[in-house]
Amino acid sequence: LEQVAKEHNVPIIPHETALFMRLLLRLINPSKILEIGTAYGFSATLFAKFTKEDCRIDTIERFPVMIEKASQVFSQVKSGGKINLIAGDAIDILPKLVENNLKTENKYDFIFLDCAKAQYVKYIPFCLKILAKNGVIAIDDIFQGGSVFDKPEEVKYRQRKIYQGLNQLFSEIYNNQNLEVSSLPLGDGLMIIQAV
């Protein structure tokens, strides 16, 4: 699956991030996972492989081509029915997950964001509401090739929304006293957040 995604230029988590995720999943031992940004289904398949049998994985994807491809992948891999593909835009789906969670108190132990980087800051408030105590959020590709550290006037016009969104995310997350945060130099940057 990793090779097929590379051949078709579909972005997936890099190999070193995948290895780290395997370790992280073993440490967390989640019962319920939410992924935002399914693409080919590589990450969700990885999560299914390295979690316990009764773990439930909800994964959100908005692009029809990716939904179709991920559906094919999930039907081919042996995931034990763990993966639930939710078609639609996360900004519409997350409020519904928050509303449902208020009724059931069945929060996510692990949330993985790997989607449009400019949207991360919009998704985080919802994610924090549905994250279990001591749960973990991982956010991929936070360094934008290092450009997030540039001066605002040096950022190219087409990159400004991503630049602003990521820097706003850093400000909000690192200034939240209820979170433990670390950013790791894996791939294009991986932020790990724990609610305490």
Side-chain angles (χ1 to χ4, degrees), residues 10-18 21 36-37 39 43 112-121 138-149 159 161-163 165-167 169-170 182-192:
V10 175
I12 60 170
I13 59 173
H15 188 68
E16 67 269 19
T17 304
M21 286 292 183
I36 303 173
S43 301
F112 182 53
L113 279 74
D114 189 12
C115 51
K117 292 180 275 299
Q119 304 303 312
Y120 287 164
V121 71
I139 307 176
D140 201 25
D141 299 325
I142 57 162
F143 292 155
Q144 187 62 18
S147 66
V148 291
F149 306 111
Q159 298 292 325
K161 281 188 179 179
I162 296 171
Y163 175 87
L166 287 172
N167 277 283
L169 174 75
F170 295 153
S182 183
S183 295
L184 307 173
L186 292 169
D188 195 17
L190 183 72
M191 180 180 281
I192 303 294

mmCIF file of all heavy atoms in Angstrom, residues 10-18 21 36-37 39 43 112-121 138-149 159 161-163 165-167 169-170 182-192:
data_model
loop_
_atom_site.group_PDB
_atom_site.id
_atom_site.type_symbol
_atom_site.label_atom_id
_atom_site.label_comp_id
_atom_site.label_asym_id
_atom_site.label_seq_id
_atom_site.Cartn_x
_atom_site.Cartn_y
_atom_site.Cartn_z
ATOM 1 N N VAL A 10 0.292 9.996 -3.969
ATOM 2 C CA VAL A 10 -0.681 10.251 -2.903
ATOM 3 C C VAL A 10 0.100 10.389 -1.597
ATOM 4 O O VAL A 10 0.837 9.481 -1.217
ATOM 5 C CB VAL A 10 -1.708 9.107 -2.801
ATOM 6 C CG1 VAL A 10 -2.627 9.317 -1.618
ATOM 7 C CG2 VAL A 10 -2.508 9.018 -4.092
ATOM 8 N N PRO A 11 -0.029 11.533 -0.916
ATOM 9 C CA PRO A 11 0.756 11.713 0.314
ATOM 10 C C PRO A 11 0.276 10.796 1.433
ATOM 11 O O PRO A 11 -0.917 10.705 1.712
ATOM 12 C CB PRO A 11 0.521 13.188 0.674
ATOM 13 C CG PRO A 11 -0.752 13.562 -0.012
ATOM 14 C CD PRO A 11 -0.863 12.687 -1.226
ATOM 15 N N ILE A 12 1.221 10.095 2.010
ATOM 16 C CA ILE A 12 0.958 9.268 3.196
ATOM 17 C C ILE A 12 2.053 9.575 4.204
ATOM 18 O O ILE A 12 3.045 10.228 3.873
ATOM 19 C CB ILE A 12 0.933 7.756 2.863
ATOM 20 C CG1 ILE A 12 2.270 7.304 2.284
ATOM 21 C CG2 ILE A 12 -0.222 7.418 1.932
ATOM 22 C CD1 ILE A 12 2.421 5.802 2.152
ATOM 23 N N ILE A 13 1.886 9.091 5.419
ATOM 24 C CA ILE A 13 2.915 9.350 6.420
ATOM 25 C C ILE A 13 4.214 8.677 5.999
ATOM 26 O O ILE A 13 4.207 7.575 5.453
ATOM 27 C CB ILE A 13 2.477 8.889 7.835
ATOM 28 C CG1 ILE A 13 2.166 7.390 7.872
ATOM 29 C CG2 ILE A 13 1.323 9.704 8.344
ATOM 30 C CD1 ILE A 13 1.898 6.855 9.270
ATOM 31 N N PRO A 14 5.363 9.346 6.223
ATOM 32 C CA PRO A 14 6.636 8.741 5.851
ATOM 33 C C PRO A 14 6.932 7.501 6.687
ATOM 34 O O PRO A 14 6.338 7.287 7.746
ATOM 35 C CB PRO A 14 7.660 9.842 6.125
ATOM 36 C CG PRO A 14 6.942 10.978 6.715
ATOM 37 C CD PRO A 14 5.490 10.674 6.766
ATOM 38 N N HIS A 15 7.865 6.707 6.197
ATOM 39 C CA HIS A 15 8.182 5.433 6.838
ATOM 40 C C HIS A 15 8.590 5.602 8.306
ATOM 41 O O HIS A 15 8.143 4.847 9.172
ATOM 42 C CB HIS A 15 9.292 4.718 6.058
ATOM 43 C CG HIS A 15 9.559 3.335 6.526
ATOM 44 N ND1 HIS A 15 8.655 2.302 6.360
ATOM 45 C CD2 HIS A 15 10.608 2.811 7.211
ATOM 46 C CE1 HIS A 15 9.149 1.198 6.897
ATOM 47 N NE2 HIS A 15 10.328 1.479 7.411
ATOM 48 N N GLU A 16 9.415 6.624 8.601
ATOM 49 C CA GLU A 16 9.863 6.816 9.992
ATOM 50 C C GLU A 16 8.698 7.204 10.901
ATOM 51 O O GLU A 16 8.660 6.834 12.074
ATOM 52 C CB GLU A 16 10.998 7.841 10.083
ATOM 53 C CG GLU A 16 10.625 9.277 9.739
ATOM 54 C CD GLU A 16 10.817 9.633 8.278
ATOM 55 O OE1 GLU A 16 10.890 8.729 7.427
ATOM 56 O OE2 GLU A 16 10.892 10.844 7.976
ATOM 57 N N THR A 17 7.723 7.931 10.354
ATOM 58 C CA THR A 17 6.537 8.279 11.133
ATOM 59 C C THR A 17 5.682 7.040 11.377
ATOM 60 O O THR A 17 5.135 6.853 12.472
ATOM 61 C CB THR A 17 5.712 9.376 10.427
ATOM 62 O OG1 THR A 17 6.552 10.509 10.193
ATOM 63 C CG2 THR A 17 4.521 9.809 11.261
ATOM 64 N N ALA A 18 5.583 6.178 10.373
ATOM 65 C CA ALA A 18 4.830 4.927 10.524
ATOM 66 C C ALA A 18 5.438 4.060 11.627
ATOM 67 O O ALA A 18 4.718 3.488 12.459
ATOM 68 C CB ALA A 18 4.793 4.164 9.202
ATOM 69 N N MET A 21 4.534 5.570 14.914
ATOM 70 C CA MET A 21 3.117 5.329 15.209
ATOM 71 C C MET A 21 2.903 3.932 15.792
ATOM 72 O O MET A 21 2.085 3.749 16.690
ATOM 73 C CB MET A 21 2.264 5.496 13.951
ATOM 74 C CG MET A 21 2.084 6.915 13.527
ATOM 75 S SD MET A 21 1.083 7.836 14.705
ATOM 76 C CE MET A 21 1.012 9.400 13.877
ATOM 77 N N ILE A 36 -8.472 12.137 10.813
ATOM 78 C CA ILE A 36 -9.019 13.130 9.900
ATOM 79 C C ILE A 36 -8.072 13.220 8.713
ATOM 80 O O ILE A 36 -6.937 13.680 8.846
ATOM 81 C CB ILE A 36 -9.187 14.497 10.593
ATOM 82 C CG1 ILE A 36 -10.075 14.364 11.827
ATOM 83 C CG2 ILE A 36 -9.774 15.514 9.620
ATOM 84 C CD1 ILE A 36 -10.172 15.608 12.672
ATOM 85 N N GLY A 37 -8.530 12.725 7.566
ATOM 86 C CA GLY A 37 -7.711 12.652 6.364
ATOM 87 C C GLY A 37 -7.328 11.215 6.067
ATOM 88 O O GLY A 37 -6.276 10.749 6.468
ATOM 89 N N ALA A 39 -7.138 9.597 2.885
ATOM 90 C CA ALA A 39 -6.402 9.377 1.632
ATOM 91 C C ALA A 39 -6.575 7.931 1.179
ATOM 92 O O ALA A 39 -7.701 7.456 1.080
ATOM 93 C CB ALA A 39 -4.942 9.778 1.778
ATOM 94 N N SER A 43 -2.747 4.982 6.833
ATOM 95 C CA SER A 43 -2.643 5.161 8.289
ATOM 96 C C SER A 43 -3.692 4.345 9.031
ATOM 97 O O SER A 43 -3.386 3.688 10.027
ATOM 98 C CB SER A 43 -2.791 6.636 8.663
ATOM 99 O OG SER A 43 -1.803 7.407 8.048
ATOM 100 N N PHE A 112 -5.738 11.405 15.092
ATOM 101 C CA PHE A 112 -4.656 11.686 14.156
ATOM 102 C C PHE A 112 -5.149 12.637 13.075
ATOM 103 O O PHE A 112 -6.116 12.343 12.370
ATOM 104 C CB PHE A 112 -4.162 10.389 13.518
ATOM 105 C CG PHE A 112 -3.019 10.568 12.564
ATOM 106 C CD1 PHE A 112 -1.863 11.231 12.942
ATOM 107 C CD2 PHE A 112 -3.091 10.053 11.275
ATOM 108 C CE1 PHE A 112 -0.802 11.389 12.059
ATOM 109 C CE2 PHE A 112 -2.034 10.205 10.380
ATOM 110 C CZ PHE A 112 -0.885 10.873 10.775
ATOM 111 N N LEU A 113 -4.488 13.797 12.959
ATOM 112 C CA LEU A 113 -4.816 14.771 11.931
ATOM 113 C C LEU A 113 -3.752 14.731 10.839
ATOM 114 O O LEU A 113 -2.563 14.947 11.120
ATOM 115 C CB LEU A 113 -4.871 16.195 12.499
ATOM 116 C CG LEU A 113 -6.155 16.608 13.218
ATOM 117 C CD1 LEU A 113 -6.248 15.956 14.575
ATOM 118 C CD2 LEU A 113 -6.215 18.108 13.360
ATOM 119 N N ASP A 114 -4.189 14.443 9.630
ATOM 120 C CA ASP A 114 -3.293 14.412 8.479
ATOM 121 C C ASP A 114 -4.110 14.847 7.268
ATOM 122 O O ASP A 114 -4.472 14.043 6.417
ATOM 123 C CB ASP A 114 -2.719 13.003 8.282
ATOM 124 C CG ASP A 114 -1.620 12.973 7.229
ATOM 125 O OD1 ASP A 114 -1.148 14.054 6.829
ATOM 126 O OD2 ASP A 114 -1.228 11.873 6.807
ATOM 127 N N CYS A 115 -4.420 16.131 7.225
ATOM 128 C CA CYS A 115 -5.321 16.664 6.194
ATOM 129 C C CYS A 115 -4.830 18.052 5.800
ATOM 130 O O CYS A 115 -3.636 18.322 5.883
ATOM 131 C CB CYS A 115 -6.754 16.682 6.731
ATOM 132 S SG CYS A 115 -6.905 17.490 8.337
ATOM 133 N N ALA A 116 -5.729 18.927 5.398
ATOM 134 C CA ALA A 116 -5.350 20.286 4.996
ATOM 135 C C ALA A 116 -4.758 21.031 6.190
ATOM 136 O O ALA A 116 -5.439 21.269 7.188
ATOM 137 C CB ALA A 116 -6.567 21.023 4.455
ATOM 138 N N LYS A 117 -3.485 21.396 6.080
ATOM 139 C CA LYS A 117 -2.759 21.973 7.218
ATOM 140 C C LYS A 117 -3.353 23.291 7.712
ATOM 141 O O LYS A 117 -3.307 23.590 8.893
ATOM 142 C CB LYS A 117 -1.283 22.133 6.862
ATOM 143 C CG LYS A 117 -0.578 20.800 6.692
ATOM 144 C CD LYS A 117 0.875 20.957 6.335
ATOM 145 C CE LYS A 117 1.144 21.135 4.871
ATOM 146 N NZ LYS A 117 0.740 20.046 4.005
ATOM 147 N N ALA A 118 -3.914 24.081 6.800
ATOM 148 C CA ALA A 118 -4.511 25.362 7.195
ATOM 149 C C ALA A 118 -5.746 25.151 8.068
ATOM 150 O O ALA A 118 -6.163 26.059 8.787
ATOM 151 C CB ALA A 118 -4.866 26.181 5.961
ATOM 152 N N GLN A 119 -6.330 23.951 8.022
ATOM 153 C CA GLN A 119 -7.557 23.660 8.777
ATOM 154 C C GLN A 119 -7.297 23.087 10.165
ATOM 155 O O GLN A 119 -8.213 23.000 10.983
ATOM 156 C CB GLN A 119 -8.431 22.677 7.983
ATOM 157 C CG GLN A 119 -8.787 23.138 6.586
ATOM 158 C CD GLN A 119 -9.484 24.482 6.576
ATOM 159 O OE1 GLN A 119 -10.419 24.725 7.333
ATOM 160 N NE2 GLN A 119 -9.018 25.376 5.720
ATOM 161 N N TYR A 120 -6.064 22.687 10.448
ATOM 162 C CA TYR A 120 -5.763 22.067 11.744
ATOM 163 C C TYR A 120 -6.287 22.893 12.915
ATOM 164 O O TYR A 120 -6.894 22.377 13.843
ATOM 165 C CB TYR A 120 -4.259 21.870 11.916
ATOM 166 C CG TYR A 120 -3.626 20.769 11.095
ATOM 167 C CD1 TYR A 120 -2.245 20.726 10.937
ATOM 168 C CD2 TYR A 120 -4.372 19.767 10.479
ATOM 169 C CE1 TYR A 120 -1.628 19.723 10.205
ATOM 170 C CE2 TYR A 120 -3.763 18.769 9.739
ATOM 171 C CZ TYR A 120 -2.391 18.744 9.607
ATOM 172 O OH TYR A 120 -1.776 17.757 8.885
ATOM 173 N N VAL A 121 -6.038 24.194 12.864
ATOM 174 C CA VAL A 121 -6.421 25.074 13.970
ATOM 175 C C VAL A 121 -7.938 25.120 14.152
ATOM 176 O O VAL A 121 -8.431 25.315 15.270
ATOM 177 C CB VAL A 121 -5.806 26.486 13.791
ATOM 178 C CG1 VAL A 121 -6.473 27.243 12.642
ATOM 179 C CG2 VAL A 121 -5.860 27.274 15.083
ATOM 180 N N ALA A 138 -2.112 13.337 17.536
ATOM 181 C CA ALA A 138 -0.910 13.475 16.717
ATOM 182 C C ALA A 138 -1.292 14.275 15.477
ATOM 183 O O ALA A 138 -2.303 13.985 14.833
ATOM 184 C CB ALA A 138 -0.362 12.105 16.323
ATOM 185 N N ILE A 139 -0.495 15.292 15.163
ATOM 186 C CA ILE A 139 -0.755 16.137 14.004
ATOM 187 C C ILE A 139 0.447 16.065 13.071
ATOM 188 O O ILE A 139 1.570 16.409 13.467
ATOM 189 C CB ILE A 139 -1.021 17.606 14.415
ATOM 190 C CG1 ILE A 139 -2.114 17.683 15.481
ATOM 191 C CG2 ILE A 139 -1.401 18.437 13.196
ATOM 192 C CD1 ILE A 139 -2.372 19.088 16.007
ATOM 193 N N ASP A 140 0.214 15.631 11.836
ATOM 194 C CA ASP A 140 1.306 15.411 10.890
ATOM 195 C C ASP A 140 1.574 16.653 10.044
ATOM 196 O O ASP A 140 0.704 17.500 9.851
ATOM 197 C CB ASP A 140 0.950 14.228 9.984
ATOM 198 C CG ASP A 140 2.172 13.612 9.337
ATOM 199 O OD1 ASP A 140 3.281 13.742 9.890
ATOM 200 O OD2 ASP A 140 2.023 12.990 8.272
ATOM 201 N N ASP A 141 2.804 16.744 9.548
ATOM 202 C CA ASP A 141 3.227 17.788 8.596
ATOM 203 C C ASP A 141 3.062 19.201 9.137
ATOM 204 O O ASP A 141 2.498 20.076 8.481
ATOM 205 C CB ASP A 141 2.455 17.656 7.267
ATOM 206 C CG ASP A 141 2.695 16.320 6.590
ATOM 207 O OD1 ASP A 141 3.820 15.804 6.692
ATOM 208 O OD2 ASP A 141 1.750 15.795 5.978
ATOM 209 N N ILE A 142 3.587 19.441 10.320
ATOM 210 C CA ILE A 142 3.403 20.752 10.951
ATOM 211 C C ILE A 142 4.485 21.778 10.609
ATOM 212 O O ILE A 142 4.327 22.956 10.898
ATOM 213 C CB ILE A 142 3.318 20.620 12.487
ATOM 214 C CG1 ILE A 142 4.571 19.946 13.031
ATOM 215 C CG2 ILE A 142 2.054 19.896 12.899
ATOM 216 C CD1 ILE A 142 4.781 20.153 14.508
ATOM 217 N N PHE A 143 5.587 21.332 9.973
ATOM 218 C CA PHE A 143 6.688 22.269 9.716
ATOM 219 C C PHE A 143 6.625 22.921 8.342
ATOM 220 O O PHE A 143 7.342 23.873 8.077
ATOM 221 C CB PHE A 143 8.039 21.576 9.893
ATOM 222 C CG PHE A 143 8.352 21.185 11.313
ATOM 223 C CD1 PHE A 143 9.224 20.138 11.566
ATOM 224 C CD2 PHE A 143 7.782 21.837 12.394
ATOM 225 C CE1 PHE A 143 9.529 19.773 12.868
ATOM 226 C CE2 PHE A 143 8.071 21.481 13.698
ATOM 227 C CZ PHE A 143 8.960 20.436 13.936
ATOM 228 N N GLN A 144 5.787 22.401 7.437
ATOM 229 C CA GLN A 144 5.620 22.985 6.103
ATOM 230 C C GLN A 144 6.983 23.233 5.452
ATOM 231 O O GLN A 144 7.287 24.318 4.970
ATOM 232 C CB GLN A 144 4.795 24.279 6.197
ATOM 233 C CG GLN A 144 4.389 24.909 4.881
ATOM 234 C CD GLN A 144 3.494 24.005 4.043
ATOM 235 O OE1 GLN A 144 2.910 23.061 4.533
ATOM 236 N NE2 GLN A 144 3.411 24.288 2.764
ATOM 237 N N GLY A 145 7.809 22.187 5.486
ATOM 238 C CA GLY A 145 9.133 22.292 4.870
ATOM 239 C C GLY A 145 10.019 23.332 5.526
ATOM 240 O O GLY A 145 10.958 23.844 4.919
ATOM 241 N N GLY A 146 9.731 23.677 6.779
ATOM 242 C CA GLY A 146 10.514 24.673 7.510
ATOM 243 C C GLY A 146 10.007 26.095 7.341
ATOM 244 O O GLY A 146 10.443 27.010 8.045
ATOM 245 N N SER A 147 9.052 26.307 6.429
ATOM 246 C CA SER A 147 8.593 27.672 6.157
ATOM 247 C C SER A 147 7.781 28.273 7.307
ATOM 248 O O SER A 147 7.611 29.489 7.361
ATOM 249 C CB SER A 147 7.781 27.726 4.862
ATOM 250 O OG SER A 147 6.572 27.002 5.005
ATOM 251 N N VAL A 148 7.290 27.445 8.232
ATOM 252 C CA VAL A 148 6.534 27.999 9.373
ATOM 253 C C VAL A 148 7.418 28.868 10.265
ATOM 254 O O VAL A 148 6.916 29.663 11.055
ATOM 255 C CB VAL A 148 5.869 26.899 10.243
ATOM 256 C CG1 VAL A 148 4.751 26.224 9.501
ATOM 257 C CG2 VAL A 148 6.875 25.906 10.759
ATOM 258 N N PHE A 149 8.741 28.717 10.129
ATOM 259 C CA PHE A 149 9.663 29.496 10.943
ATOM 260 C C PHE A 149 10.134 30.770 10.245
ATOM 261 O O PHE A 149 10.885 31.555 10.816
ATOM 262 C CB PHE A 149 10.873 28.630 11.332
ATOM 263 C CG PHE A 149 10.482 27.347 12.005
ATOM 264 C CD1 PHE A 149 10.668 26.125 11.370
ATOM 265 C CD2 PHE A 149 9.900 27.346 13.265
ATOM 266 C CE1 PHE A 149 10.306 24.937 11.980
ATOM 267 C CE2 PHE A 149 9.525 26.162 13.880
ATOM 268 C CZ PHE A 149 9.730 24.955 13.241
ATOM 269 N N GLN A 159 1.129 30.291 0.121
ATOM 270 C CA GLN A 159 1.404 29.536 1.345
ATOM 271 C C GLN A 159 0.925 30.258 2.611
ATOM 272 O O GLN A 159 1.039 29.722 3.710
ATOM 273 C CB GLN A 159 2.914 29.265 1.471
ATOM 274 C CG GLN A 159 3.488 28.432 0.342
ATOM 275 C CD GLN A 159 2.978 27.009 0.355
ATOM 276 O OE1 GLN A 159 2.758 26.431 1.415
ATOM 277 N NE2 GLN A 159 2.747 26.439 -0.814
ATOM 278 N N LYS A 161 -2.040 31.095 3.975
ATOM 279 C CA LYS A 161 -3.094 30.517 4.822
ATOM 280 C C LYS A 161 -2.546 29.370 5.666
ATOM 281 O O LYS A 161 -2.872 29.248 6.846
ATOM 282 C CB LYS A 161 -4.268 30.036 3.974
ATOM 283 C CG LYS A 161 -5.186 31.137 3.529
ATOM 284 C CD LYS A 161 -6.427 30.590 2.870
ATOM 285 C CE LYS A 161 -7.333 31.730 2.461
ATOM 286 N NZ LYS A 161 -8.538 31.274 1.787
ATOM 287 N N ILE A 162 -1.723 28.537 5.057
ATOM 288 C CA ILE A 162 -1.113 27.428 5.790
ATOM 289 C C ILE A 162 -0.191 27.979 6.876
ATOM 290 O O ILE A 162 -0.236 27.540 8.024
ATOM 291 C CB ILE A 162 -0.340 26.486 4.842
ATOM 292 C CG1 ILE A 162 -1.304 25.814 3.863
ATOM 293 C CG2 ILE A 162 0.437 25.441 5.627
ATOM 294 C CD1 ILE A 162 -0.633 25.029 2.760
ATOM 295 N N TYR A 163 0.638 28.953 6.501
ATOM 296 C CA TYR A 163 1.575 29.579 7.434
ATOM 297 C C TYR A 163 0.827 30.166 8.644
ATOM 298 O O TYR A 163 1.181 29.910 9.797
ATOM 299 C CB TYR A 163 2.361 30.672 6.706
ATOM 300 C CG TYR A 163 3.274 31.486 7.590
ATOM 301 C CD1 TYR A 163 4.570 31.059 7.846
ATOM 302 C CD2 TYR A 163 2.857 32.691 8.157
ATOM 303 C CE1 TYR A 163 5.430 31.806 8.644
ATOM 304 C CE2 TYR A 163 3.700 33.441 8.949
ATOM 305 C CZ TYR A 163 4.984 32.995 9.194
ATOM 306 O OH TYR A 163 5.814 33.728 9.991
ATOM 307 N N GLY A 165 -2.297 29.519 9.635
ATOM 308 C CA GLY A 165 -3.013 28.484 10.365
ATOM 309 C C GLY A 165 -2.109 27.682 11.279
ATOM 310 O O GLY A 165 -2.441 27.419 12.440
ATOM 311 N N LEU A 166 -0.928 27.301 10.776
ATOM 312 C CA LEU A 166 -0.004 26.509 11.591
ATOM 313 C C LEU A 166 0.565 27.328 12.746
ATOM 314 O O LEU A 166 0.677 26.841 13.871
ATOM 315 C CB LEU A 166 1.124 25.942 10.726
ATOM 316 C CG LEU A 166 0.731 24.787 9.805
ATOM 317 C CD1 LEU A 166 1.876 24.427 8.862
ATOM 318 C CD2 LEU A 166 0.300 23.563 10.603
ATOM 319 N N ASN A 167 0.908 28.589 12.478
ATOM 320 C CA ASN A 167 1.439 29.423 13.560
ATOM 321 C C ASN A 167 0.380 29.729 14.610
ATOM 322 O O ASN A 167 0.687 29.791 15.801
ATOM 323 C CB ASN A 167 2.076 30.693 12.991
ATOM 324 C CG ASN A 167 3.499 30.441 12.541
ATOM 325 O OD1 ASN A 167 4.404 30.354 13.370
ATOM 326 N ND2 ASN A 167 3.697 30.265 11.248
ATOM 327 N N LEU A 169 -2.025 27.630 15.317
ATOM 328 C CA LEU A 169 -2.101 26.341 16.017
ATOM 329 C C LEU A 169 -1.021 26.242 17.081
ATOM 330 O O LEU A 169 -1.299 25.897 18.235
ATOM 331 C CB LEU A 169 -1.963 25.195 15.011
ATOM 332 C CG LEU A 169 -1.882 23.788 15.609
ATOM 333 C CD1 LEU A 169 -3.249 23.331 16.098
ATOM 334 C CD2 LEU A 169 -1.306 22.805 14.601
ATOM 335 N N PHE A 170 0.233 26.558 16.712
ATOM 336 C CA PHE A 170 1.339 26.501 17.674
ATOM 337 C C PHE A 170 1.052 27.384 18.882
ATOM 338 O O PHE A 170 1.240 26.981 20.029
ATOM 339 C CB PHE A 170 2.657 26.952 17.035
ATOM 340 C CG PHE A 170 3.153 26.067 15.935
ATOM 341 C CD1 PHE A 170 3.945 26.587 14.929
ATOM 342 C CD2 PHE A 170 2.838 24.722 15.887
ATOM 343 C CE1 PHE A 170 4.420 25.787 13.907
ATOM 344 C CE2 PHE A 170 3.296 23.907 14.870
ATOM 345 C CZ PHE A 170 4.094 24.444 13.873
ATOM 346 N N SER A 182 4.678 18.178 22.411
ATOM 347 C CA SER A 182 6.027 18.038 21.898
ATOM 348 C C SER A 182 5.965 17.951 20.380
ATOM 349 O O SER A 182 5.073 17.297 19.830
ATOM 350 C CB SER A 182 6.689 16.780 22.472
ATOM 351 O OG SER A 182 8.025 16.679 22.025
ATOM 352 N N SER A 183 6.893 18.610 19.704
ATOM 353 C CA SER A 183 6.980 18.535 18.246
ATOM 354 C C SER A 183 8.239 17.758 17.874
ATOM 355 O O SER A 183 9.333 18.075 18.340
ATOM 356 C CB SER A 183 7.027 19.937 17.636
ATOM 357 O OG SER A 183 5.808 20.611 17.886
ATOM 358 N N LEU A 184 8.069 16.742 17.052
ATOM 359 C CA LEU A 184 9.158 15.833 16.712
ATOM 360 C C LEU A 184 9.584 16.016 15.262
ATOM 361 O O LEU A 184 8.742 16.234 14.386
ATOM 362 C CB LEU A 184 8.713 14.386 16.931
ATOM 363 C CG LEU A 184 8.126 14.049 18.312
ATOM 364 C CD1 LEU A 184 7.591 12.630 18.314
ATOM 365 C CD2 LEU A 184 9.187 14.226 19.380
ATOM 366 N N PRO A 185 10.888 15.886 14.979
ATOM 367 C CA PRO A 185 11.384 16.028 13.607
ATOM 368 C C PRO A 185 11.241 14.738 12.798
ATOM 369 O O PRO A 185 12.213 14.191 12.283
ATOM 370 C CB PRO A 185 12.857 16.409 13.810
ATOM 371 C CG PRO A 185 13.231 15.716 15.084
ATOM 372 C CD PRO A 185 11.990 15.740 15.946
ATOM 373 N N LEU A 186 10.024 14.246 12.701
ATOM 374 C CA LEU A 186 9.734 13.061 11.891
ATOM 375 C C LEU A 186 9.000 13.515 10.635
ATOM 376 O O LEU A 186 8.021 14.264 10.732
ATOM 377 C CB LEU A 186 8.865 12.070 12.665
ATOM 378 C CG LEU A 186 9.505 11.385 13.864
ATOM 379 C CD1 LEU A 186 8.457 10.646 14.674
ATOM 380 C CD2 LEU A 186 10.594 10.430 13.418
ATOM 381 N N GLY A 187 9.451 13.067 9.466
ATOM 382 C CA GLY A 187 8.824 13.515 8.230
ATOM 383 C C GLY A 187 8.918 15.026 8.130
ATOM 384 O O GLY A 187 9.986 15.608 8.292
ATOM 385 N N ASP A 188 7.778 15.689 7.936
ATOM 386 C CA ASP A 188 7.721 17.146 7.881
ATOM 387 C C ASP A 188 7.215 17.716 9.203
ATOM 388 O O ASP A 188 6.555 18.737 9.249
ATOM 389 C CB ASP A 188 6.824 17.603 6.721
ATOM 390 C CG ASP A 188 7.025 19.076 6.387
ATOM 391 O OD1 ASP A 188 8.046 19.656 6.803
ATOM 392 O OD2 ASP A 188 6.151 19.656 5.728
ATOM 393 N N GLY A 189 7.512 16.991 10.280
ATOM 394 C CA GLY A 189 7.135 17.446 11.617
ATOM 395 C C GLY A 189 5.901 16.746 12.118
ATOM 396 O O GLY A 189 4.907 16.625 11.401
ATOM 397 N N LEU A 190 5.959 16.268 13.351
ATOM 398 C CA LEU A 190 4.845 15.585 13.981
ATOM 399 C C LEU A 190 4.650 16.169 15.374
ATOM 400 O O LEU A 190 5.564 16.142 16.195
ATOM 401 C CB LEU A 190 5.108 14.077 14.068
ATOM 402 C CG LEU A 190 4.002 13.209 14.651
ATOM 403 C CD1 LEU A 190 2.822 13.109 13.669
ATOM 404 C CD2 LEU A 190 4.514 11.810 14.968
ATOM 405 N N MET A 191 3.466 16.729 15.617
ATOM 406 C CA MET A 191 3.156 17.284 16.941
ATOM 407 C C MET A 191 2.373 16.239 17.735
ATOM 408 O O MET A 191 1.416 15.662 17.240
ATOM 409 C CB MET A 191 2.325 18.564 16.811
ATOM 410 C CG MET A 191 1.966 19.194 18.152
ATOM 411 S SD MET A 191 0.962 20.714 17.953
ATOM 412 C CE MET A 191 2.227 21.889 17.525
ATOM 413 N N ILE A 192 2.811 16.012 18.973
ATOM 414 C CA ILE A 192 2.137 15.076 19.875
ATOM 415 C C ILE A 192 1.557 15.890 21.025
ATOM 416 O O ILE A 192 2.261 16.664 21.672
ATOM 417 C CB ILE A 192 3.115 14.020 20.430
ATOM 418 C CG1 ILE A 192 3.785 13.255 19.292
ATOM 419 C CG2 ILE A 192 2.386 13.064 21.374
ATOM 420 C CD1 ILE A 192 2.849 12.407 18.468
#
